[in-house]
Amino acid sequence: MGAEMDRLSADSWGIGGISVFMGQVRDGPDGLESLTLEHYPGMTEKVLTELAAEAVKRFRLIGCTLIHRVGTLVVGAPIVFVGTSSAHRAEALAGTNFLIDRLKTGAPFWKCERYQDGRQVWVDAREADDKAAASWD
């Protein structure tokens, strides 16, 4: 994460604010063991690039980094890193929030939870995530 922060602040002359979000695999009461994230190569990268470009334009960002891991990740492992920088903190914070909300619903990722008892459950889209993404329209 340090290298990503260094890149976001590299053009420090015009930067007044940097915002960072890092999501990680969390356990719950059901004993989650791991989360497997699958994606559609080529399409996923295109969508992430488009989301980042939209955020840069919309919030006048100076820097924008969007990283999403795929594969099998254990509890506590980082999944996503979103970092933005701008002249003002409000734009950096809004850009980060926009990217997280849109990433949850707009990028082609599929999640399968594996539990300690051997169960595997594919994660459905959540209405709250759809509402959060729609709030940016």
Side-chain angles (χ1 to χ4, degrees), residues 46-56 64 66 98-99 102-103 106-107:
K46 182 178 186 279
V47 169
L48 296 181
T49 299
E50 289 170 352
L51 284 172
E54 183 178 353
V56 166
C64 179
L66 180 55
F98 168 83
L99 286 166
R102 288 291 174 92
L103 181 64

Side-chain angles (χ1 to χ4, degrees), residues 14 16 23 29 33-34 44 51 60 66 68 91 97 119-120 130:
E33 183 176 281
S34 65
T44 303
L51 284 172
R60 298 184 308 266
L66 180 55
H68 202 298
E91 286 86 1
N97 287 330
R119 286 179 297 131
Q120 294 187 72
D130 291 333

Side-chain angles (χ1 to χ4, degrees), residues 22-102:
M22 189 180 84
Q24 65 182 38
V25 179
R26 70 175 175 274
D27 192 5
D30 295 332
L32 185 70
E33 183 176 281
S34 65
L35 178 67
T36 299
L37 292 113
E38 295 184 0
H39 74 300
Y40 190 92
M43 180 188 289
T44 303
E45 291 84 350
K46 182 178 186 279
V47 169
L48 296 181
T49 299
E50 289 170 352
L51 284 172
E54 183 178 353
V56 166
K57 182 178 179 183
R58 186 172 185 167
F59 301 103
R60 298 184 308 266
L61 301 177
I62 296 168
C64 179
T65 302
L66 180 55
I67 300 169
H68 202 298
R69 296 180 67 197
V70 295
T72 299
L73 306 170
V74 297
V75 170
I79 302 172
V80 63
F81 175 93
V82 176
T84 62
S85 61
S86 66
H88 304 283
R89 70 167 193 254
E91 286 86 1
L93 291 166
T96 299
N97 287 330
F98 168 83
L99 286 166
I100 286 297
D101 287 344
R102 288 291 174 92

